[in-house]
Amino acid sequence: METLVWFVHVVSAVALIILVLVQHGKGADMGAAFGTGSAGSLFGSSGSANFLSRSTAVAATIFFITSLSLTYIYAQPVQSAGVMEKMDASQPDAGKAVPQLAPETAPAVSKSDTTGSKSKDIPN
């Protein structure tokens, strides 16, 4: 989701820059009166100004919304663990040497103990 917001944010920023640079200044309307050719444009003499100004307003609104969205995304506390903590959680003994313990030997059982004699259990 974050990548999508970043993509829309960058595209709207580029569109906003282009739309602002394409627009004519307030003094450019005087040139249209003397036949510079803007009166015969696709949108008419005043239609291009309305289209460009509305497009700029839309791009600015999208840029503003994505800016607020990115601020909200990065203002939230991080819920997940860090990279090293994830590594430790997935492999509990990763990178640690595990000492090899000698196997414990069971005490030897003599045959006399298995006969069921209770003479050894009686104290003297």
Side-chain angles (χ1 to χ4, degrees), residues 62-86:
I62 292 171
F63 183 80
F64 182 72
I65 290 171
T66 56
S67 296
L68 289 177
S69 300
L70 288 171
T71 302
Y72 179 75
I73 289 170
Y74 285 108
Q76 298 300 318
V78 178
Q79 299 283 337
S80 64
V83 174
M84 295 305 291
E85 292 170 359
K86 287 181 183 177

Side-chain angles (χ1 to χ4, degrees), residues 3 8 14 21 23 26 28 30 34 36 40-41 43 48 61 67 74 89 92 97 100 105-106 110 112 117 119 122 124:
T3 306
V8 172
V14 170
L21 290 176
Q23 288 184 22
K26 295 260 185 204
M30 190 59 112
F34 296 109
T36 59
S41 68
F43 303 105
S48 63
T61 303
S67 296
Y74 285 108
Q100 296 293 328
T105 56
S110 65
S112 64
S117 170
S119 62
I122 301 174
N124 292 336

Side-chain angles (χ1 to χ4, degrees), residues 17-59:
I17 291 169
I18 291 171
L19 287 170
V20 167
L21 290 176
V22 167
Q23 288 184 22
H24 296 288
K26 295 260 185 204
D29 292 337
M30 190 59 112
F34 296 109
T36 59
S38 66
S41 68
L42 176 65
F43 303 105
S45 62
S46 65
S48 63
N50 288 337
F51 175 75
L52 289 176
S53 62
R54 286 182 184 170
S55 299
T56 305
V58 168

